[in-house]
Amino acid sequence: MTMKPHNDDQLLNCAFGDITPDEAMRIEADAARNAELRERLDSYQNLRAGLRALGDKVPDHQLSNERLRDAILARGLSTTARPISSPRWWQMAWMPIAAAAIAAVVFMAKPNRPVTPSVAIKQGDNLFVVPTIDAPKASEAVAMRVSEDDAIAARNYAAVLGGMPLEGSAPSPRQREAVRPSPTSRRMSEGRTVPSAPMAMIASGGTGLAAAAAPTGPSAAFGSGAPSMDAPARDDVATHPIVLIDSEPDANTGASRATEVGSPSNVIVGG
Amino acid sequence: MALDSILATRLAPSERDLNPTSDESLVQRARDGDYAAFEVLYERHRTLVFRFAYQMMPRRDDAEDIVQEAFVRAYQNLGRYRDEAKFTTWLLRIVSNLCTDQARMGNRRTALEQQEAAGALDWMTVGDTDDPIGNLEQDRQRDVLRRALNALPVHHRSVLILRDIEEREYVDIAQTLGCTVGGAKLRVLRARRALRDRVAPLLGEE
């Protein structure tokens, strides 16, 4: 019978009792015939015995209940009768549930009125306004600053509508997007019988100002001295208050100055 | 033999008499606000925890501090204890983590006056046999082994203490370490290899 070679891991497991009795007997039998194997196995068994002996040299502790109680109290915990509750799912879920409930209440309490912004702009000596039928208040006016390219694109858009020659180069995709009816305006016009109006572009000098679309408003009006492109727009202006928003801030409040005018005679209307 | 049965024979009669109920019911009572039940758990298991902590950092003061901190944290987090694991396993896991943190922070002192004092006391006490030279050799080997064990990385040391000194079952070790039984066996084997590699040159020096 030939002796199978054993590696150190097998010998370690044998010495520490982590192999089956059959394997242990086989290794012991091999070790009985091999002095070198016997020596290695003995050294590992001594190692195990030495480790076990370390467990016998543990001194007595001086831990006491009073010491633990002091430590617990020092940590701010209580040792009096007080249930220590384990975290339950409903204790952790109250916050998102409450947030969802508040959001639902706010959503349901919100009045269902369409947002129809209007814009009135004063840019130097030129006054521009985009009135809307449903939003006569100045607080509902919305304006954003756009570049000259966007203004040119808007003029071109209006020119196409009115059969006038185009100005400058062809509008870029971004510019086309600027004069296209916004999704918001499309949404606002849904459910109504009136068509969706494009975004109104108003320009003066190097920088223009664009107004958000009015669902039922006029199509566009551009530039200093430019004619109104849509007659109904002037009618709308005439029947509604016109608010002019100055681009320069008010000295007292710091906000853009707003002026309500009754006559549209000095106002160029677009939309 | 399981460690619990060994401990049962080593514990003082007064400590053994403190076991009227199971750990689980004591834990439940402690959760319900019965601090006396937690004290029973403390008295029942503090020796076990102290033994492990002392092997991890062989200075009695440090080990006692670790044990105390472990029980404070156990009391603090009693609501998080899941009954699937044994309470002692959960405790040992807390202690193991604390010892690991302590070792990582580098606060563990290597030269231990108390251990030296204990070693000096061993000189003056009668050994296991009547052979004084044999006792000296045993002490030397034990000292070598202790130094080799302390020089091991903390993850090797903890599994060796759990398995080969405290003789915990592999299932408990796996739960303590948060791994599988096979993983625990592999870790123990690696730790034994590491210890063997450290002990061999130390024993061969002289």
Side-chain angles (χ1 to χ4, degrees), chain B residues 41-93:
Chain B
L41 286 169
Y42 174 63
E43 291 166 355
R44 182 183 293 178
H45 298 302
R46 63 188 176 192
T47 302
L48 163 72
V49 177
F50 173 77
R51 287 173 59 82
F52 177 77
Y54 181 79
Q55 300 292 351
M56 288 295 287
M57 42 189 58
R59 181 181 169 92
R60 202 182 69 185
D61 293 347
D62 291 344
E64 288 178 354
D65 289 345
I66 288 285
V67 173
Q68 182 174 291
E69 178 64 21
F71 274 95
V72 169
R73 290 196 183 188
Y75 182 72
Q76 199 170 0
N77 299 292
L78 214 49
R80 295 184 184 178
Y81 165 64
R82 292 178 301 164
D83 295 335
E84 298 93 60
K86 287 198 287 187
F87 183 69
T88 52
T89 304
W90 186 59
L91 267 180
L92 285 174
R93 185 165 191 166

Side-chain angles (χ1 to χ4, degrees), chain A residues 120-133:
Chain A
I121 309 296
K122 177 183 179 186
Q123 184 79 355
D125 294 334
N126 302 318
L127 304 175
F128 311 104
V129 65
V130 180
T132 66
I133 292 174

Side-chain angles (χ1 to χ4, degrees), chain A residues 8-10 12-13 16-18 44 46-72 75 77-87, chain B residues 10 30-33 35 38-39 42-43 46-47 50-51 54-55 60-61 64-65 67-69 71-72 75-76 78-80 122 142 145-146 149 160 163-165 167 170 188-189 192-193 195-196 199:
Chain A
D8 270 1
D9 288 348
Q10 284 178 311
L12 269 173
N13 285 334
F16 283 84
D18 281 349
Y44 295 153
N46 289 337
L47 190 63
R48 182 190 190 188
L51 284 171
R52 280 186 173 177
L54 289 180
D56 297 332
K57 284 293 179 181
V58 177
D60 293 333
H61 60 76
Q62 295 182 348
L63 297 163
S64 65
N65 292 1
E66 291 74 22
R67 185 174 165 182
L68 177 68
R69 186 186 292 261
D70 290 344
I72 287 175
R75 198 64 62 87
L77 302 173
S78 171
T79 57
T80 57
R82 178 184 54 83
I84 302 172
S85 59
S86 57
Chain B
R10 288 178 180 172
R31 278 177 179 160
D32 292 339
Y35 181 74
F38 187 75
E39 279 191 330
Y42 174 63
E43 291 166 355
R46 63 188 176 192
T47 302
F50 173 77
R51 287 173 59 82
Y54 181 79
Q55 300 292 351
R60 202 182 69 185
D61 293 347
E64 288 178 354
D65 289 345
V67 173
Q68 182 174 291
E69 178 64 21
F71 274 95
V72 169
Y75 182 72
Q76 199 170 0
L78 214 49
R80 295 184 184 178
D122 286 345
R142 193 160 45 220
L145 200 56
R146 166 62 65 193
L149 188 66
L160 281 179
R163 177 62 187 170
D164 294 332
I165 297 180
E167 299 177 326
Y170 276 116
V188 168
L189 180 61
R192 284 173 183 161
R193 282 186 209 147
L195 181 67
R196 175 200 63 197
V199 165

